[in-house]
Amino acid sequence: MPKSETTPASNFILTIIREDQKTNKFNQRVHTRFPPEPNGYLHIGHAKSICLNFGLALEFKGKCNLRFDDTNPIKEELEYVESIKEDVRWLGFDWKDREFYASDYFEQLFAWAVQLIQSGKAYVDDLTADQIREYRGTLTQPGKESPYRTRPVADNLDLFKRMRVGEFPDGTRVLRAKIDMSSPNINLRDPVLYRILHTSHHRTGDTWCIYPMYDFAHGQSDSIENITHSICTLEFEDHRPLYDWFLDELGIYHPQQIEFARLNLTFTLMSKRKLLQLVQEKNVSGWDDPRMPTISGLRRRGYTPEAIRDFSERIGVAKNDSTVDMALLEHCLREDLNKRAPRVMAVLKPLKVIIDNYPENQVEEVEAYNNPEDLSMGTRKVPFSKVLYLEQDDFREDPPKKFYRLAPGREVRLRYAYFIKCVNVIKDLQTGEIRELHCTYDPASRGGESPDGRKVKATLHWVSAGHAIDAEVRLYDNLFTRPDPEEVPEGQDFRINLNPNSLEILKNCKLEPSLVKAQPADRYQFERLGYFCVDNVESKTGHLIFNRTVSLRDTWARLEKAGKSNEAAE
Ligand code: ATP
Ligand code: MG
């Protein structure tokens, strides 16, 4: 649902907050947070949540915390914490000194658990994990009460404290809330609050061998931080009554939880668990592989923070799950890169061309616009000489009907230079492959215009062979072949939809010499081909590597023109 340029931004979350401002519910405060679990790299779905939470804080002159919900020591690592901070910063948001960790609240959470035990609202259960699952019941069947549910308060206190000091092995006991085993909401059927895990935590080390469950930590962490609006995704709607129960039973400050639909994108996945699987099984080169929907992958691919923020704004927030077309994300990217990326000429699959009537050692410099859409970006000189490279795809020995580019006997324009005409095709005698073309040029057509007004139907990019710089170029396509990677035959999983052609590496590319100064992460438009950026990980002086960020073909703009963009986005 692209937002029109003229109407002020509005969505149901803004409406709720404006109403709270009117009724003075939170004393005019707006304090949000972005609460990642440091168990993987952030993806574009998280970017939506980051833009939303930090964006609301900016809009209402409030605050947004960065809080790591680090309650699970088994899956969490420092590497993830560092990557998350880098990604949030790169997206353009600043949490100032408000970097918090749920693990900082472990002592307080423990005290609250003790408080619940003392008021008869929590008990230590000796059932095994399997038994607890079995006793929980199902959506259609009520649960069954544990025989330990009626344990006296004093015994519960004693056992819980002994759990904390490490007297019991993993999995032997848990602390559970005493709520309602027959509640239609399964989250309220005596949820587990604490489990025993003799595992070091990336921040608290070996201080603890019992850890709070996410549900017992999340709402209270929001409360401790005085969050006004706890914005989360729809799957937490059913957890809200539980979070409310904790806050009410403990008698502590109550933020307002608001749920919105998570972002799904076509041709990719948003589950950290599955993305981790792709990394571990080496289907991709890492979390920052340019095909990954992770923020670090998008950054390496050449995405700009502006494009991602624009995308988040355009998709808005909704109450219903939907899948956004990847073409919209790419459209936002092209719009941004079109403004900022300097144009250069690069030949990806070179075909050697010799201009027979051009003087042997002559080099001319033609003047080229750095961005025809923004003349303030200036011009540069590009060397032209007798031997050039053209794109193999721009020549056909036997041209089909609508092929207007170079062919034997045909004349075309070389961008910013001359008209050339193909006079001879030299082939390898053994293989029949085309080795080089011979052409003539019209010296009177310098700059690309013919004095006699004759027309050509194509303008091609080129690079002077003697001046070209070598580079490797990596072309990316969707990681999955289907819009919904989860659509699989019975018994299979998303991996069968991996696109075997998602990466094509071209080793012999020829770039115009102005690119010697290209630095990691610099972005360019290679004329007629797409937007490319210098790989920020593997590219080195002497071995330049470019990633194709996105091609020039804008399928979104086409859909919009045909009036089909809404269908595609929903
Ligand atoms: P995953 O299910 O992939 O592990 P998660 O929701 O558990 O993701 P968290 O680290 O808990 O990941 O997410 C941090 C915040 O980002 C949460 O507030 C969550 O609601 C939000 N978020 C996660 N995925 C999306 C998404 N696809 N769209 C919008 N927000 C998301
Ligand atoms: Mg989560």
Side-chain angles (χ1 to χ4, degrees):
M1 60 203 99
K3 180 173 74 76
S4 113
E5 306 279 328
T6 48
T7 48
S10 188
N11 60 53
F12 77 96
I13 297 180
L14 279 171
T15 309
I16 293 173
I17 297 182
R18 286 191 185 124
E19 190 56 32
D20 290 345
Q21 300 284 81
K22 259 191 232 155
T23 60
N24 210 21
K25 182 168 175 187
F26 295 106
N27 278 323
Q28 302 302 307
R29 285 192 313 120
V30 172
H31 198 153
T32 56
R33 82 288 176 264
F34 172 64
E37 223 178 313
N39 60 353
Y41 280 59
L42 298 182
H43 52 58
I44 181 79
H46 295 111
K48 171 176 176 171
S49 175
I50 293 167
C51 292
L52 181 61
N53 281 294
F54 280 93
L56 287 168
L58 285 170
E59 173 140 4
F60 290 94
K61 300 196 170 48
K63 292 175 182 158
C64 181
N65 296 356
L66 174 62
R67 183 179 68 243
F68 293 95
D69 271 338
D70 55 349
T71 53
N72 183 353
I74 295 170
K75 291 187 178 168
E76 293 161 6
E77 284 173 34
L78 201 59
E79 178 195 345
Y80 297 138
V81 170
E82 292 305 326
S83 76
I84 290 169
K85 290 202 278 187
E86 186 183 356
D87 290 349
V88 176
R89 240 181 255 124
W90 179 77
L91 278 173
F93 299 107
D94 184 0
W95 57 91
K96 304 257 167 63
D97 57 351
R98 293 182 307 277
E99 177 177 325
F100 300 120
Y101 295 81
S103 55
D104 293 342
Y105 311 139
F106 280 176
E107 201 61 61
Q108 174 67 70
L109 292 166
F110 180 82
W112 277 332
V114 169
Q115 187 184 329
L116 288 180
I117 296 173
Q118 280 166 336
S119 56
K121 299 289 180 180
Y123 62 98
V124 173
D125 197 349
D126 300 359
L127 292 183
T128 64
D130 284 342
Q131 287 170 320
I132 289 179
R133 204 170 304 123
E134 192 190 310
Y135 276 53
R136 187 172 293 135
T138 63
L139 285 174
T140 49
Q141 281 183 323
K144 219 165 58 182
E145 292 185 357
S146 161
Y148 302 97
R149 200 175 196 261
T150 49
R151 232 176 200 150
V153 169
D155 292 5
N156 284 321
L157 279 178
D158 173 60
L159 284 171
F160 188 49
K161 286 182 179 158
R162 287 165 62 198
M163 278 168 66
R164 174 177 183 167
V165 296
E167 278 190 34
F168 312 117
D170 289 2
T172 49
R173 293 194 159 86
V174 292
L175 183 72
R176 296 178 72 175
K178 195 188 282 186
I179 310 181
D180 179 4
M181 286 309 289
S182 58
S183 170
N185 183 342
I186 294 187
N187 293 302
L188 297 178
R189 294 185 190 167
D190 291 11
V192 173
L193 308 183
Y194 269 89
R195 63 233 158 112
I196 303 171
L197 276 178
H198 291 269
T199 303
S200 287
H201 183 281
H202 70 107
R203 282 177 66 86
T204 58
D206 293 321
T207 310
W208 295 90
C209 62
I210 56 171
Y211 290 95
M213 301 302 289
Y214 178 87
D215 276 350
F216 189 62
H218 185 75
Q220 285 96 301
S221 300
D222 283 345
S223 176
I224 291 171
E225 292 175 16
N226 263 308
I227 299 303
T228 55
H229 301 87
S230 305
I231 298 167
C232 58
T233 40
L234 282 179
E235 69 271 25
F236 290 100
E237 199 162 13
D238 291 347
H239 296 235
R240 176 150 39 93
L242 175 60
Y243 297 166
D244 287 346
W245 187 89
F246 290 139
L247 300 174
D248 293 343
E249 290 299 331
L250 295 170
I252 56 178
Y253 165 79
H254 204 133
Q256 171 167 355
Q257 177 168 312
I258 306 172
E259 304 88 10
F260 72 101
R262 55 198 295 129
L263 168 69
N264 296 299
L265 256 190
T266 55
F267 296 103
T268 192
L269 288 170
M270 292 288 152
S271 146
K272 278 189 272 186
R273 185 175 58 77
K274 288 172 188 161
L275 295 176
L276 175 63
Q277 201 176 345
L278 293 176
V279 172
Q280 284 173 338
E281 292 174 6
K282 302 208 183 320
N283 296 114
V284 293
S285 65
W287 284 98
D288 65 351
D289 186 297
R291 292 166 290 181
M292 291 280 269
T294 51
I295 298 177
S296 51
L298 296 170
R299 175 165 64 235
R300 189 170 171 191
R301 176 85 170 250
Y303 271 77
T304 61
E306 289 82 358
I308 295 177
R309 293 201 303 259
D310 178 35
F311 171 73
S312 300
E313 180 79 11
R314 289 198 206 203
I315 56 177
V317 288
K319 266 285 185 191
N320 304 313
D321 276 315
S322 68
T323 300
V324 174
D325 198 321
M326 177 68 97
L328 176 60
L329 179 60
E330 295 187 339
H331 174 74
C332 295
L333 177 61
R334 281 189 195 95
E335 283 209 334
D336 188 41
L337 291 178
N338 182 41
K339 284 180 265 168
R340 67 169 77 219
R343 276 56 171 167
V344 291
M345 292 197 283
V347 172
L348 300 190
K349 295 179 184 163
L351 170 60
K352 197 175 190 181
V353 172
I354 295 148
I355 315 285
D356 289 337
N357 59 339
Y358 195 83
E360 190 75 37
N361 292 315
Q362 183 170 311
V363 179
E364 282 177 83
E365 297 209 299
V366 300
E367 185 147 23
Y369 288 116
N370 290 332
N371 188 347
E373 312 245 339
D374 177 4
L375 297 182
S376 74
M377 285 171 74
T379 60
R380 67 188 186 286
K381 305 263 194 230
V382 184
F384 182 90
S385 66
K386 186 179 178 75
V387 185
L388 309 169
Y389 291 116
L390 298 191
E391 208 68 68
Q392 286 170 17
D393 288 347
D394 282 338
F395 174 79
R396 288 287 187 89
E397 196 176 9
D398 201 1
K401 228 176 163 198
K402 289 196 170 164
F403 187 89
Y404 299 121
R405 292 168 265 169
L406 198 59
R410 188 180 288 172
E411 191 172 46
V412 296
R413 175 189 295 109
L414 296 184
R415 181 98 161 123
Y416 300 119
Y418 294 101
F419 283 15
I420 61 164
K421 186 177 191 171
C422 177
V423 294
N424 200 3
V425 182
I426 310 288
K427 292 190 190 171
D428 187 304
L429 290 178
Q430 246 109 65
T431 64
E433 251 178 80
I434 298 174
R435 280 195 10 218
E436 60 189 42
L437 303 181
H438 283 257
C439 294
T440 55
Y441 86 119
D442 175 359
S445 64
R446 187 174 169 155
E449 299 300 328
S450 65
D452 59 5
R454 71 182 189 278
K455 298 256 186 295
V456 290
K457 282 197 168 153
T459 301
L460 309 182
H461 61 275
W462 51 273
V463 172
S464 165
H467 304 88
I469 349 183
D470 293 314
E472 174 179 326
V473 174
R474 298 174 177 174
L475 305 180
Y476 301 99
D477 198 350
N478 291 327
L479 194 48
F480 294 95
T481 50
R482 281 173 186 277
D484 177 7
E486 303 283 5
E487 194 185 313
V488 291
E490 177 108 15
Q492 298 279 6
D493 69 31
F494 65 96
R495 288 169 299 177
I496 69 146
N497 287 326
L498 276 164
N499 177 3
N501 304 315
S502 57
L503 170 60
E504 183 185 355
I505 299 181
L506 303 174
K507 296 258 187 196
N508 187 30
C509 307
K510 304 288 182 184
L511 317 180
E512 69 165 64
S514 75
L515 284 166
V516 279
K517 59 177 197 307
Q519 295 298 311
D522 280 358
R523 306 177 181 94
Y524 296 90
Q525 186 194 99
F526 289 0
E527 289 213 24
R528 299 178 61 233
L529 297 174
Y531 294 99
F532 293 75
C533 73
V534 182
D535 188 80
N536 65 7
V537 179
E538 290 172 22
S539 187
K540 301 204 172 46
T541 332
H543 187 89
L544 261 185
I545 301 173
F546 275 84
N547 296 319
R548 181 171 68 193
T549 308
V550 68
S551 69
L552 292 177
R553 201 183 51 230
D554 193 335
T555 47
W556 183 260
R558 272 216 314 263
L559 286 171
E560 237 173 4
K561 235 181 175 165
K564 291 191 178 144
S565 58
N566 282 333
E567 286 160 45
E570 278 151 21

